[in-house]
Amino acid sequence: MMDSKRYQAGLARLNELDPNAAQHLKETFQAICPELADLIISFPFGEVLSREGLDFQTRELATISALTAMGNCQPQLASHIKGALHIGCQPQQIVEVILQTAVYAGFPAAINGMTIAKRVFQESGIIDTDSDD
Amino acid sequence: MMDSKRYQAGLARLNELDPNAAQHLKETFQAICPELADLIISFPFGEVLSREGLDFQTRELATISALTAMGNCQPQLASHIKGALHIGCQPQQIVEVILQTAVYAGFPAAINGMTIAKRVFQESGIIDTDSDD
Amino acid sequence: MMDSKRYQAGLARLNELDPNAAQHLKETFQAICPELADLIISFPFGEVLSREGLDFQTRELATISALTAMGNCQPQLASHIKGALHIGCQPQQIVEVILQTAVYAGFPAAINGMTIAKRVFQESGIIDTDSDD
Amino acid sequence: MMDSKRYQAGLARLNELDPNAAQHLKETFQAICPELADLIISFPFGEVLSREGLDFQTRELATISALTAMGNCQPQLASHIKGALHIGCQPQQIVEVILQTAVYAGFPAAINGMTIAKRVFQESGIIDTDSDD
Amino acid sequence: MMDSKRYQAGLARLNELDPNAAQHLKETFQAICPELADLIISFPFGEVLSREGLDFQTRELATISALTAMGNCQPQLASHIKGALHIGCQPQQIVEVILQTAVYAGFPAAINGMTIAKRVFQESGIIDTDSDD
Amino acid sequence: MMDSKRYQAGLARLNELDPNAAQHLKETFQAICPELADLIISFPFGEVLSREGLDFQTRELATISALTAMGNCQPQLASHIKGALHIGCQPQQIVEVILQTAVYAGFPAAINGMTIAKRVFQESGIIDTDSDD
C-alpha cells in the first residue's frame, strides 16, 4: 500500500498540514491496528482531501465546521485547526467558522470549539497564554 | 425588532441567498410562533452570517459541511445548497464539500447529502433530471 | 409481564398521553417483535415516567426538549407534543421549549421541531390549517 | 450592543443563574473572539431565555434534558445544573430529568449526565463528597 | 481505479449483499459525482468490509447496530438489513440487535429502526404485509 | 426489585462482563439516585441483553459498534470493550468492529474508539504499554 500513488499523494497532503502527523499516527496505532495509519493516509488524504475542485484552505475550514458541529471529535478538531493555520488560513477565518456553528449546531458546540481554538492559538503564539483557565 | 439595524442587515444577507426566504419564513410560522422568522433574520443572518472576517461563499460551504455531517437537517441543507449556488459557489465546490464529509461523518452522511444536492442541482438545471429516482 | 404492577402502572401512564397508543404499539410490532410494546409500556412508562419527584407535564416538556434537540425522532416528537397537550401543557409552553432548543442544538433543530408542532397544533385545532405547506 | 435593552435583559437573566458567569465569559474569550460573550448574553439570554410563556425553572429543566440527551456538552450541562439549583429547582427534579433521558437517548447519556450532576451536587453540598471516584 | 485489486475485492463484497447495488450506485450519482460509486466500492467494501478478522455476518450486525443508534441513516439501514438477510443473518438476530439499541441510544432509535426492519421483512416475505401502517 | 427474576437474570448477565460492576454502580450513584443501579441491572441487563436470539459475544460487538459510532460514551465504550474480552471476544474482532465504524460514522469516531481500545488492551496485557501517549 505504501508504494501506491494514492498513498504517496496522501502522505504529501497530510505533510502539508503537519509534517509529524504520519509518523505519529503509525506509532500510536502500531500495536493495536498497524494498517490504520496507512488507511488514513491513503483514503482520506490520498483519495478525498487531495482531490481537485476545492482549494485546501476551504477544505480545512469546511472540516473545522463539521467537526465543531459534531461536537465529539475534540482531538481531530485541534489537529485540523493547527493544520489550517499551517497551510495559511487566517485565525479570524477559523474563529468565524466556529462562531457560525452556533447557528447550526447550537451555542455549546460553538463555545466548546472556540475553547479548543483558543488553546491551539495559544500554543501557536497567536494569542497570549493567560491564567484564567 | 424589524426597524433595527441588525434586522435590516440580516434581511439583506438572507435576500442574497434567496429573495423569497424571508416572506416564506414569516408565513410558515405566523400562526404558531410569529417571532421565529424575525429571530432567524436578526440573529443568525443579522449578527452572525453578516460578520466580516470570512467571505459569504466560504461561510456557505462551511454551513453545507456542518449540515451534511449532522445528517438530520435535510430541509436546511437543501436551502443552503440552493443559496450557495445563488451567491456564486461552483457546483463542484459543493460536491467536494459533501464528498469529504464521508471522511469525518461517514459515508451515509455524505451519500444522503449528495442525494439532496443532486435534487437541488436538477431543480436548478445544473444536471439533467433522470428517471432513476 | 402484562399482569405485573409496573406494566399496569405503565399502561395507566401511557393512557394519560394517548388512550390508543398501547393498542397501536402492540399491533404495529406484533409480527416482528411482539415483546417490544410490552417492554415500552413496562420500562419507560411503568418504571421511569411514572416515578414521583417530577410532575408529568414537566416530564413531557423535558421530553419534547430532548427529542427536538436530538433531531432524528420525528414520529416520537409528534406523539409527545400531542400527549403533552392531552395532559394539559399549554401550547405556548411547547412552543417556548422548542424555540429555546435553537440555543442549545441550533436553529435547524428548532425549526424542524416547530414544523412538527405546527402540524400537531393544526390537527388538534389549536391553530388553523393553512395552505402554505 | 451592551447598552441595548436585550443585552440588559440577557445580563439580568444570566445573573439569576450565576452572578459570575458574564464576567467569566468575557475573560475567557476576550483574546480570541471578544464579541462572543456579548452575543451569548444578548441572544440566548436576552432574546430567548428571557421570553414569557414558560417559567425559568421549567426552561432550565428542559435545557438539562436537551444537554443530557445530546451528550457532548459537559461543561454547559454542569453550568445549567448549577444554575437550575440557584433559581430554586429541586435536586430531585434534576435527577428525574436526567434519569428519564435514558428512555429517549439511552443509558450512557443518562449515566454520564448523572455523573456530572453528582459532581455539581457534591460541590454544592447537597450530597456528601465520597471517595469512590 | 476499476481495474485495481481492491476495487475488484470491493465489488465482490458488495455483490454478496446485493448484486444490483453497484450498478444502482453508479447510475444514481453518475451526473453529480461519478467517482462516488467507485470510492464506495473500493474503500468501504474493498479495504474495510472485506478484511479478515471478523466474519461478514457479524460485520453486518455491527453495522445495523451503528446505523440504528445514529438514527439518521434510514436508506443505509434498510439496505444493510436487506443485505444481512441476503448473506444468511437470521431475522431474529437483526431484531435483537435493533432492540438492544434502545439501551444504548434510546427507545426512539430502536423503534424507528424496528419500523424500517418491519418494512424490509415485509418486502422480503419474512412477515406478512398488514394494513395498519 | 432486587428479588425479582429479571433483577437476578440481569445481575448474572452483568457479572459475566464484570463481576465488580454491580457493586461499583450501586456505590457510584447511591447518594444521588439509589435506584439507578437497580434499573440498569433489571432492564438493560435483565430484560434486553439476557434475551435469547443472539449470542452474548455478538451482542457485545454490536454494542461496541453503536457506542463507537455515537462517539460520546467513552466510559461505557471502555467498559464494554473490557467486558467483551472477558466473555471471550477476540481482540481482533473488537479492532475490526471499531475500524469499520470509520465507514459509517467517520474516521474521528473510529480513531477515538481505537484509542480507547488501545488503553483497555494495554490494561489487560494484550498489548504492551508504550510511552508515546
Side-chain angles (χ1 to χ4, degrees):
Chain A
M1 186 188 282
M2 293 174 63
D3 293 334
S4 71
K5 193 174 150 192
R6 64 198 185 96
Y7 181 88
Q8 292 304 323
L11 189 59
R13 203 51 153 165
L14 178 54
N15 281 343
E16 289 181 65
L17 289 182
D18 178 355
N20 301 314
Q23 186 60 26
H24 181 68
L25 267 175
K26 275 178 209 287
E27 287 173 7
T28 302
F29 296 111
Q30 181 62 34
I32 188 169
C33 184
E35 311 89 322
L36 180 55
D38 291 348
L39 285 171
I40 293 171
I41 292 166
S42 61
F43 177 69
F45 288 95
E47 291 196 288
V48 180
L49 304 178
S50 60
R51 284 167 60 92
E52 299 185 351
L54 189 68
D55 65 282
F56 199 19
Q57 290 189 9
T58 306
R59 284 193 183 278
E60 283 303 301
L61 294 172
T63 296
I64 290 167
S65 181
L67 294 175
T68 304
M70 294 169 72
N72 54 7
C73 314
Q74 287 83 350
Q76 288 76 30
L77 180 56
S79 297
H80 280 281
I81 293 173
K82 216 176 304 184
L85 292 170
H86 203 251
I87 62 169
C89 291
Q90 296 302 307
Q92 190 60 29
Q93 291 179 305
I94 295 168
V95 165
E96 292 299 323
V97 163
I98 293 173
L99 184 61
Q100 81 172 24
T101 63
V103 171
Y104 302 108
F107 277 86
I111 291 171
N112 294 336
M114 202 70 85
T115 301
I116 290 174
K118 182 187 171 186
R119 182 162 51 76
V120 174
F121 284 14
Q122 287 176 335
E123 291 167 5
S124 307
I126 293 170
I127 58 175
D128 282 345
T129 304
D130 57 30
S131 56
D132 74 313
D133 291 318
Chain B
M1 184 189 283
M2 293 174 62
D3 293 334
S4 72
K5 192 174 151 193
R6 65 197 183 96
Y7 181 87
Q8 292 304 323
L11 189 59
R13 203 51 153 165
L14 178 54
N15 282 343
E16 290 181 65
L17 289 182
D18 178 355
N20 301 314
Q23 186 61 25
H24 181 67
L25 268 175
K26 275 179 210 287
E27 287 173 7
T28 303
F29 296 111
Q30 181 62 35
I32 189 169
C33 183
E35 310 89 324
L36 180 54
D38 291 348
L39 285 170
I40 292 171
I41 292 167
S42 60
F43 176 70
F45 287 94
E47 292 197 288
V48 180
L49 303 178
S50 60
R51 284 168 60 91
E52 299 185 351
L54 189 67
D55 66 282
F56 198 19
Q57 290 189 9
T58 306
R59 283 193 184 279
E60 283 302 301
L61 294 172
T63 296
I64 290 168
S65 181
L67 295 175
T68 303
M70 294 169 72
N72 54 8
C73 314
Q74 286 84 347
Q76 289 76 30
L77 180 55
S79 296
H80 280 281
I81 293 172
K82 217 176 303 183
L85 292 170
H86 203 251
I87 61 170
C89 291
Q90 295 303 307
Q92 189 60 29
Q93 291 179 304
I94 294 168
V95 166
E96 292 298 324
V97 163
I98 292 173
L99 183 61
Q100 80 172 24
T101 63
V103 172
Y104 302 109
F107 277 86
I111 291 170
N112 294 335
M114 201 71 84
T115 301
I116 290 174
K118 181 186 171 187
R119 184 164 47 78
V120 174
F121 284 15
Q122 287 175 334
E123 291 167 4
S124 306
I126 293 170
I127 58 175
D128 281 344
T129 304
D130 56 30
S131 55
D132 73 313
D133 292 318
Chain C
M1 185 189 282
M2 293 174 63
D3 294 333
S4 72
K5 192 173 149 193
R6 65 199 183 95
Y7 181 87
Q8 292 304 323
L11 189 60
R13 203 51 153 164
L14 178 54
N15 282 343
E16 290 181 64
L17 289 182
D18 178 355
N20 301 314
Q23 186 61 26
H24 181 68
L25 269 175
K26 274 178 210 286
E27 288 172 6
T28 302
F29 296 111
Q30 182 61 35
I32 188 169
C33 184
E35 310 89 323
L36 180 55
D38 291 347
L39 285 170
I40 292 171
I41 292 167
S42 59
F43 177 70
F45 286 95
E47 292 197 288
V48 180
L49 303 178
S50 59
R51 284 168 60 91
E52 299 186 349
L54 189 67
D55 66 281
F56 199 20
Q57 290 189 9
T58 307
R59 284 193 184 279
E60 284 301 302
L61 293 172
T63 296
I64 290 167
S65 181
L67 294 175
T68 304
M70 293 169 73
N72 54 7
C73 314
Q74 286 83 349
Q76 289 75 32
L77 180 54
S79 296
H80 280 281
I81 292 173
K82 218 177 301 184
L85 292 170
H86 203 252
I87 61 169
C89 291
Q90 295 302 307
Q92 190 60 29
Q93 291 179 304
I94 294 167
V95 165
E96 292 298 323
V97 163
I98 292 172
L99 183 60
Q100 81 171 25
T101 62
V103 171
Y104 301 108
F107 277 86
I111 291 170
N112 294 335
M114 202 70 84
T115 301
I116 290 174
K118 181 187 171 186
R119 184 163 49 76
V120 175
F121 284 14
Q122 286 176 336
E123 291 167 3
S124 306
I126 293 171
I127 58 175
D128 282 344
T129 303
D130 57 29
S131 55
D132 74 314
D133 291 316
Chain D
M1 185 189 282
M2 293 174 62
D3 293 334
S4 71
K5 193 175 151 192
R6 66 198 183 96
Y7 181 88
Q8 292 303 323
L11 189 59
R13 204 52 153 162
L14 178 54
N15 282 344
E16 289 182 65
L17 288 183
D18 178 355
N20 300 315
Q23 186 60 27
H24 181 68
L25 268 175
K26 275 178 208 286
E27 288 172 8
T28 302
F29 296 111
Q30 180 62 37
I32 189 169
C33 184
E35 310 89 323
L36 179 55
D38 291 348
L39 285 170
I40 293 171
I41 292 167
S42 60
F43 177 70
F45 287 95
E47 291 198 287
V48 179
L49 304 179
S50 59
R51 284 168 59 93
E52 299 186 348
L54 189 67
D55 67 282
F56 199 19
Q57 289 189 10
T58 306
R59 283 193 184 279
E60 283 302 303
L61 294 173
T63 296
I64 290 168
S65 181
L67 294 175
T68 303
M70 293 168 72
N72 55 7
C73 314
Q74 287 84 348
Q76 288 75 31
L77 180 56
S79 296
H80 280 281
I81 292 173
K82 217 176 302 184
L85 292 170
H86 203 252
I87 62 169
C89 292
Q90 295 302 308
Q92 190 60 28
Q93 291 179 304
I94 294 167
V95 165
E96 292 298 324
V97 163
I98 293 172
L99 183 61
Q100 82 172 23
T101 63
V103 172
Y104 302 108
F107 278 86
I111 290 171
N112 294 335
M114 202 70 84
T115 300
I116 289 174
K118 182 186 171 186
R119 184 164 49 75
V120 174
F121 284 15
Q122 287 176 334
E123 290 167 5
S124 307
I126 292 171
I127 59 175
D128 282 345
T129 304
D130 57 30
S131 56
D132 72 315
D133 291 319
Chain E
M1 186 189 282
M2 292 174 62
D3 293 334
S4 72
K5 192 175 150 192
R6 65 198 183 96
Y7 180 87
Q8 291 304 324
L11 188 60
R13 202 53 154 163
L14 178 54
N15 281 343
E16 290 181 65
L17 289 182
D18 178 355
N20 300 314
Q23 186 62 25
H24 181 68
L25 268 175
K26 275 178 209 287
E27 288 172 7
T28 302
F29 296 112
Q30 181 63 35
I32 189 169
C33 184
E35 310 89 324
L36 180 54
D38 291 347
L39 285 170
I40 293 171
I41 292 167
S42 60
F43 177 69
F45 287 95
E47 292 197 287
V48 180
L49 304 179
S50 59
R51 284 169 60 92
E52 299 186 349
L54 189 68
D55 66 282
F56 199 18
Q57 290 189 9
T58 306
R59 283 193 184 278
E60 283 302 301
L61 294 172
T63 296
I64 289 168
S65 181
L67 295 175
T68 304
M70 295 169 72
N72 54 8
C73 313
Q74 286 84 349
Q76 288 76 30
L77 180 54
S79 296
H80 280 282
I81 292 173
K82 217 176 303 182
L85 292 170
H86 203 251
I87 62 169
C89 291
Q90 295 302 306
Q92 190 60 28
Q93 291 179 304
I94 294 168
V95 165
E96 292 298 323
V97 163
I98 292 172
L99 183 60
Q100 79 171 25
T101 64
V103 171
Y104 302 109
F107 278 86
I111 290 170
N112 294 336
M114 201 71 83
T115 301
I116 290 173
K118 182 187 171 185
R119 183 162 49 76
V120 175
F121 285 13
Q122 287 175 335
E123 291 167 2
S124 307
I126 293 171
I127 59 175
D128 281 345
T129 304
D130 56 30
S131 56
D132 74 314
D133 291 318
Chain F
M1 185 188 283
M2 293 174 63
D3 293 333
S4 71
K5 193 174 150 193
R6 66 199 183 95
Y7 181 87
Q8 292 304 323
L11 189 59
R13 202 54 153 162
L14 178 54
N15 282 343
E16 289 180 66
L17 289 182
D18 178 356
N20 300 315
Q23 186 60 27
H24 181 67
L25 268 175
K26 275 177 208 286
E27 287 173 7
T28 302
F29 296 112
Q30 181 61 36
I32 188 169
C33 184
E35 310 90 324
L36 180 54
D38 291 348
L39 285 170
I40 292 170
I41 292 166
S42 59
F43 176 70
F45 287 94
E47 291 197 287
V48 179
L49 304 178
S50 58
R51 285 168 60 91
E52 298 185 350
L54 189 67
D55 66 282
F56 199 19
Q57 290 189 10
T58 306
R59 284 193 183 278
E60 283 303 302
L61 294 172
T63 296
I64 289 168
S65 181
L67 295 174
T68 303
M70 293 169 72
N72 54 7
C73 314
Q74 286 83 350
Q76 289 75 31
L77 180 55
S79 296
H80 280 282
I81 292 173
K82 217 176 302 183
L85 292 170
H86 203 252
I87 61 169
C89 291
Q90 294 303 307
Q92 190 61 28
Q93 291 179 305
I94 295 168
V95 165
E96 292 299 322
V97 163
I98 292 173
L99 184 61
Q100 81 172 25
T101 63
V103 171
Y104 302 109
F107 278 85
I111 290 171
N112 294 335
M114 202 70 85
T115 301
I116 290 174
K118 182 187 171 185
R119 183 163 50 75
V120 174
F121 284 14
Q122 287 175 335
E123 290 167 5
S124 307
I126 292 170
I127 58 176
D128 281 344
T129 304
D130 56 30
S131 55
D132 73 314
D133 291 319

